[in-house]
Amino acid sequence: MLRSLWQYRYFMLSSIRGELKGRFARSYLGGFWFILHPLAQSLIFSIVLAEVMQARIPNMDNSAAYPIYLLSGMAAWGLFAEILNRSMTIFIEQAPALKKIAFPRLCLPVIVWGGAIINHLLLLLAIAIIFIFFGHYPGRAWIYVPVGIVLISALAFGLGVFLGILNVFARDVGQIMTVILQLWFWLTPIVYLKAVMPQKVQAYINLNPMTGLVAIYQDALLLNQAPNIATLIPSVIVAGIAVAASFILFRRASPELVDAL
């Protein structure tokens, strides 16, 4: 499978470029919508929680600390959610192409992954500019952000491909995951700090593989600190299992995939 992906690398690159151009065709702002949507969502959370509800980061005097914390977590979650959601539906969306054109089917989620990474890099650039306006300049710890990108995208890709194949054979999977992702978001310390939650809830939060991955962004972008390796070990294991399971399932289900579509 990996050899076939390498042989079709130019096809995937051109598809990523075409998808990015076509997604906002006839749009005056074009690619800026990749950035504006997540920034607007983060801004709404910041206004409601930081200004209205007076949410603050303990032991930090910077008034922009909570918006920075929130933007960091939302950026990490946005990458995860985009890859996972689109990978779950990509086989169904591209059913006509799969029936008419011969190419490795695994190219489709890889194209999704590539487009999401480009969107994410543009968002990080916009976030860095916003941080400068806050008076919070990017530090050396930003070098750890690529580690977060790799681990988050690996987890999302593995789960997305695995669930995307199941979704072809049972469309209820996509509907169920919509609800699960909403619960998953609120079980991840993005709009709140893990320390403020009750001990019973913290036990579930610690089992969440996204907790450690989101913390990479929050530690690097807000605190200018390296990630805690110990907290990343469960996330790395889950991401590795997800990728391996997706490849195994894809290999077994691939011959019947087009027929099921």
Side-chain angles (χ1 to χ4, degrees):
M1 288 188 293
L2 296 178
R3 188 184 304 115
S4 63
L5 288 177
W6 176 253
Q7 292 172 346
Y8 279 79
R9 61 189 182 278
Y10 297 114
F11 165 74
M12 291 187 291
L13 290 173
S14 62
S15 297
I16 292 171
R17 185 165 54 250
E19 180 183 357
L20 294 176
K21 289 182 179 180
R23 188 180 298 185
F24 295 107
R26 299 181 182 276
S27 172
Y28 290 107
L29 294 180
F32 281 105
W33 288 113
F34 292 127
I35 302 172
L36 293 178
H37 281 304
L39 288 182
Q41 187 178 15
S42 300
L43 178 62
I44 293 171
F45 274 105
S46 297
I47 293 174
V48 173
L49 296 175
E51 300 299 330
V52 178
M53 301 182 67
Q54 298 298 312
R56 293 290 184 268
I57 303 294
N59 302 321
M60 293 196 71
D61 297 329
N62 187 356
S63 60
Y66 181 76
I68 293 171
Y69 174 86
L70 183 60
L71 280 170
S72 304
M74 293 290 288
W77 180 264
L79 175 64
F80 173 75
E82 181 177 0
I83 296 176
L84 178 56
N85 283 323
R86 293 221 55 220
S87 296
M88 279 196 303
T89 59
I90 191 65
F91 296 116
I92 297 174
E93 291 175 1
Q94 299 297 329
L98 288 172
K99 294 177 181 179
K100 297 178 181 179
I101 306 173
F103 64 94
R105 299 174 181 90
L106 197 58
C107 287
L108 293 177
V110 174
I111 293 169
V112 168
W113 172 81
I117 292 296
I118 294 174
N119 298 345
H120 188 66
L121 294 177
L122 293 174
L123 176 62
L124 288 177
L125 177 60
I127 286 177
I129 296 173
I130 292 174
F131 285 1
I132 292 174
F133 280 110
F134 284 150
H136 183 80
Y137 295 91
R140 294 181 179 179
W142 275 67
I143 62 174
Y144 298 106
V145 172
V147 176
I149 293 175
V150 171
L151 294 178
I152 291 172
S153 60
L155 176 62
F157 181 85
L159 290 176
V161 173
F162 188 90
L163 296 172
I165 296 170
L166 296 180
N167 197 32
V168 171
F169 297 95
R171 304 298 170 87
D172 296 330
V173 172
Q175 303 298 327
I176 294 172
M177 282 304 300
T178 301
V179 178
I180 291 177
L181 277 176
Q182 293 178 359
L183 295 174
W184 197 342
F185 174 83
W186 290 105
L187 278 175
T188 307
I190 297 175
V191 300
Y192 58 87
L193 275 73
K194 184 177 69 173
V196 304
M197 303 301 290
Q199 289 295 329
K200 293 182 179 180
V201 179
Q202 288 189 34
Y204 293 104
I205 293 175
N206 291 331
L207 294 175
N208 179 1
M210 280 299 294
T211 298
L213 300 181
V214 168
I216 296 176
Y217 279 66
Q218 294 165 341
D219 290 341
L221 275 59
L222 174 62
L223 304 177
N224 196 27
Q225 294 178 356
N228 187 344
I229 302 299
T231 61
L232 293 180
I233 293 176
S235 302
V236 172
I237 294 174
V238 172
I241 293 174
V243 173
S246 66
F247 282 162
I248 293 172
L249 180 62
F250 182 85
R251 190 171 184 177
R252 293 185 177 183
S254 183
E256 302 176 3
L257 197 63
V258 175
D259 293 335
L261 290 169

